[in-house]
Amino acid sequence: MLEQRLLEKAIGVAGRLIAVEPFGEGSIARFTVDSGEHAGEWFVDSSKQAVPVETGFVIRSRDGVVVARIWKHPLDPRLPALRTAVDPERIARISAAADSSGPVEAKVLAYRPGRRAVVRLTQHGVHLFVKVVRPGEAEDLAAIHEACRAAGVPAPEVAHWSPAGVVVVRDATGTPGPVSAARMPAGELLDAVDALRERLLTVETRRIARASVGSRVDWHVDRMAGGLPGRASDAQRLLPALLEHVRREGPPRVVHGDLHIGQLFFDGGEVSSVIDVDTAGLGDPADDSAAFIGHATASAARNQAAGRDGDAAQLRAIADAAADRWLRDPHTTALTVLHLLGHGIRAAERAPGAAELLLDRALELARVAAR
């Protein structure tokens, strides 16, 4: 793999590949080095997109063109605030300046290199969530949280934001979606999700939602073929049906942008909190349907591959009920196939059995879309 060779050229260690995400003209690959002076997480960025400040190695071609940027977590050149957000000592000093003393635990909950990170801060048993974004994006992110709340969408309250690229939000309320999924009938849970989606349509914003998964058809198919080389031909067979049906139909509407059960909290049969509205804005409602079905299906596949049959059955029931409710046209079905491939790509390295199940389901849905 080219990215692995570039990492070895930079630090003398190839590292173990963890994940690859499309970015710009190329991708950002994540590696882990388990021991030695370079132990930690490393990133190889082949996007060819400029950065404000170099924070790692830069590999150039003979004529001076940047081939790749390589950095070690948390020195992401596009997220300069990340270094502070994951450093307990720096956070403690900031907390002390706000007249709050005591140790602060910082835990990274999510990280998409070059795009965003979510860090949970815990002090005296109280959680705050720091969203680290590119400088200049924080005001927009705070605004979409407030626009959602004004429309009755229960997004977390913004406690603080900074143009340096930080938005701090308070904790969600209610029972987490994965726990609620084991307690609520699938139909009741989906009724609550539909009610949330109706409220999202009333949010006043001109913000554009996260790019549709349909914008990366070739990338998903090629990566799935590479992740399961024994079934590369099956993955490639998906391409014609996907290309025919991924184009968005109808005007843009306000969507969540990354809707799945892990983003939701429930209370009394309703959604009491919805997190990560960072991706929300004007987009394709079919993407929310596809993301929800794809995530539930992937979670079921991972549980099945791990032998947790009870959890797998519950999640599969939700995925099937959502498919029955929302897969009404080839467009939504094609987007769901792409979401399944996205989850399959991530599973191929660690849980190839789950990746196989996801590819099988993708092929099944692609046949439905082609009818």
Side-chain angles (χ1 to χ4, degrees):
M1 182 182 186
L2 174 61
E3 291 88 349
Q4 203 160 29
R5 295 197 297 271
L6 291 174
L7 178 62
E8 187 172 18
K9 179 179 179 180
I11 66 173
V13 183
R16 177 166 53 88
L17 179 66
I18 299 299
V20 181
E21 287 198 30
F23 198 94
E25 297 180 28
S27 62
I28 298 181
R30 180 188 304 211
F31 296 88
T32 183
V33 175
D34 296 325
S35 60
E37 62 177 320
H38 296 300
E41 284 196 331
W42 288 85
F43 297 84
V44 179
D45 174 359
S46 61
S47 69
K48 300 183 180 178
Q49 291 189 351
V51 300
V53 179
E54 301 291 358
T55 58
F57 300 94
V58 180
I59 297 178
R60 302 179 186 272
S61 64
R62 291 181 178 178
D63 56 359
V65 176
V66 174
V67 174
R69 290 182 170 85
I70 299 170
W71 73 85
K72 186 179 182 181
H73 180 74
L75 301 180
D76 189 321
R78 296 181 181 85
L79 304 178
L82 181 60
R83 183 178 182 181
T84 297
V86 300
D87 186 330
E89 292 186 3
R90 294 188 183 202
I91 292 295
R93 288 198 294 270
I94 294 171
S95 177
D99 297 324
S100 180
S101 61
V104 181
E105 177 191 357
K107 181 177 181 179
V108 178
L109 300 183
Y111 175 43
R112 297 191 70 198
R115 292 182 173 90
R116 62 188 290 271
V118 180
V119 181
R120 184 182 67 198
L121 303 181
T122 305
Q123 186 179 43
H124 307 308
V126 176
H127 299 312
L128 290 174
F129 296 85
V130 180
K131 295 176 179 286
V132 182
V133 295
R134 299 179 193 180
E137 294 181 357
E139 183 174 8
D140 178 64
L141 181 54
I144 191 62
H145 275 77
E146 295 305 325
C148 284
R149 290 174 63 84
V153 174
E157 179 187 357
V158 174
H160 169 75
W161 71 270
S162 162
V166 170
V167 176
V168 182
V169 300
R170 302 193 188 280
D171 206 352
T173 60
T175 302
V179 177
S180 298
R183 301 174 180 174
M184 296 173 65
E188 181 181 340
L189 185 144
L190 293 177
D191 286 344
V193 175
D194 272 334
L196 172 70
R197 295 179 69 181
E198 287 296 319
R199 290 199 295 275
L200 275 166
L201 295 177
T202 69
V203 174
E204 295 186 8
T205 182
R206 295 182 180 180
R207 192 174 194 258
I208 304 301
R210 189 173 78 174
S212 169
V213 69
S215 64
R216 290 277 187 169
V217 176
D218 291 338
W219 187 91
H220 281 85
V221 171
D222 290 344
R223 287 290 180 179
M224 188 77 257
L228 294 176
R231 299 193 61 186
S233 61
D234 285 338
Q236 293 292 348
R237 280 196 293 117
L238 293 167
L239 193 58
L242 292 173
L243 289 174
E244 182 179 358
H245 297 299
V246 293
R247 187 178 299 275
R248 187 175 71 197
E249 301 174 352
R253 307 290 299 276
V254 179
V255 298
H256 181 278
D258 187 26
L259 186 66
H260 61 76
I261 199 156
Q263 311 280 37
L264 305 175
F265 293 73
F266 294 84
D267 185 21
E270 297 182 347
V271 174
S272 55
S273 290
V274 53
I275 62 174
D276 285 353
V277 296
D278 315 31
T279 53
L282 294 169
D284 183 355
D287 260 313
D288 273 358
S289 300
F292 190 97
I293 297 167
H295 188 278
T297 304
S299 297
R302 286 192 296 269
N303 278 282
Q304 181 177 337
R308 296 187 290 268
D309 294 338
D311 292 338
Q314 289 171 347
L315 290 162
R316 194 178 304 110
I318 292 171
D320 289 345
D324 288 343
R325 183 178 294 214
W326 295 330
L327 291 188
R328 301 294 188 186
D329 57 81
H331 172 62
T332 308
T333 303
L335 292 179
T336 303
V337 169
L338 283 168
H339 276 280
L340 292 173
L341 293 183
H343 287 286
I345 292 163
R346 290 187 285 274
E349 177 73 18
R350 299 182 180 181
E356 295 260 7
L357 291 171
L358 291 170
L359 180 56
D360 287 339
R361 180 57 172 157
L363 290 164
E364 179 184 344
L365 288 181
R367 287 192 291 270
V368 173
R371 290 174 187 168

